[in-house]
Amino acid sequence: MITMDDIIKDGHPTLRKVAEEVSLPPSKEDQEILKSLLEYVINSQDEEIAKKYGLRPGIGLAAPQINVSKRMIAVHVHDKKGKLYSYALFNPKIISHSVEKAYLTSGEGCLSVDEPIPGYVPRYARITVKGYDVDGNEVKLRLKGLPAIVFQHEIDHLNGIMFYDHINKEDPFRPIENACPIER
Ligand code: ZN
């Protein structure tokens, strides 16, 4: 089981690497890694388990964050209507996106970044993601709102990109043009 001890922190070189594609059908080992990513995110949202193991709550985790430079992510998040988006994907890819942008009014956080970094992080408002589930079956998702933001944050990790890279350095809270604010 993944704990905070397994999660590498900002400054670690693996977080800046472009992660490798996972070969499909997936190996047993890669399946176990993928499952463990989702297990962490789910456990971290369970108050009792999180307290017992000292897990920082998260809604997404990418393999590079546990120092595995392979294209795998897990997301476990509810949208504002309460619908659950719980996915663990190999080789997730944004295959199309809206012109319209979106951002979280509260900014973003990351399990690999201990201190809060304030500022708006511009994202696409709507995306279509293609990936493969733990058994290697193709999955295609149309996403908007918070789930769309989380997927973009996690897929960024596979490309060595951190959320704060997108924040305007001179003016972190400068209004983002053509963007829809999202409250968490
Ligand atoms: Zn992150």
Side-chain angles (χ1 to χ4, degrees), residues 15 60-62 65 108-113 123 150 153-154 156-157 161-163:
L15 290 172
L61 188 62
Q65 293 181 273
E108 294 185 21
C110 180
L111 291 168
S112 295
V113 181
R123 302 289 189 186
V150 184
H153 178 118
E154 300 313 327
D156 265 358
H157 276 304
I161 298 166
M162 300 294 287
F163 73 94

Side-chain angles (χ1 to χ4, degrees), residues 63-181:
Q65 293 181 273
I66 57 161
N67 204 16
V68 173
S69 195
K70 290 185 172 182
R71 304 187 81 82
M72 307 183 203
I73 63 165
V75 170
H76 189 78
V77 66
H78 293 83
D79 69 10
K80 64 172 191 275
K81 290 178 187 156
K83 185 180 171 192
L84 176 64
Y85 292 77
S86 189
Y87 292 98
L89 297 180
F90 292 117
N91 303 334
K93 195 173 175 207
I94 296 170
I95 54 169
S96 67
H97 62 78
S98 59
V99 174
E100 192 189 0
K101 300 280 180 74
Y103 63 95
L104 291 178
T105 54
S106 56
E108 294 185 21
C110 180
L111 291 168
S112 295
V113 181
D114 286 332
E115 70 286 3
I117 302 181
Y120 296 148
V121 180
R123 302 289 189 186
Y124 299 120
R126 293 173 298 283
I127 56 171
T128 302
V129 172
K130 196 177 106 173
Y132 299 85
D133 70 12
V134 71
D135 299 315
N137 301 313
E138 189 182 300
V139 176
K140 209 173 180 183
L141 302 168
R142 283 188 183 78
L143 303 160
K144 60 181 177 162
L146 181 59
I149 299 221
V150 184
F151 273 83
Q152 287 172 82
H153 178 118
E154 300 313 327
I155 291 171
D156 265 358
H157 276 304
L158 306 182
N159 296 316
I161 298 166
M162 300 294 287
F163 73 94
Y164 57 78
D165 297 344
H166 299 290
I167 297 174
N168 186 306
K169 304 276 173 304
E170 285 77 48
D171 188 2
F173 293 102
R174 175 150 55 189
I176 295 159
E177 256 177 72
N178 191 20
C180 162

Side-chain angles (χ1 to χ4, degrees), residues 39-60:
E39 183 193 55
Y40 176 90
V41 195
I42 294 172
N43 282 343
S44 79
Q45 294 180 32
D46 181 304
E47 227 172 279
E48 235 167 74
I49 301 174
K51 201 175 158 197
K52 185 171 172 192
Y53 296 102
L55 309 179
R56 191 178 147 202
I59 49 182

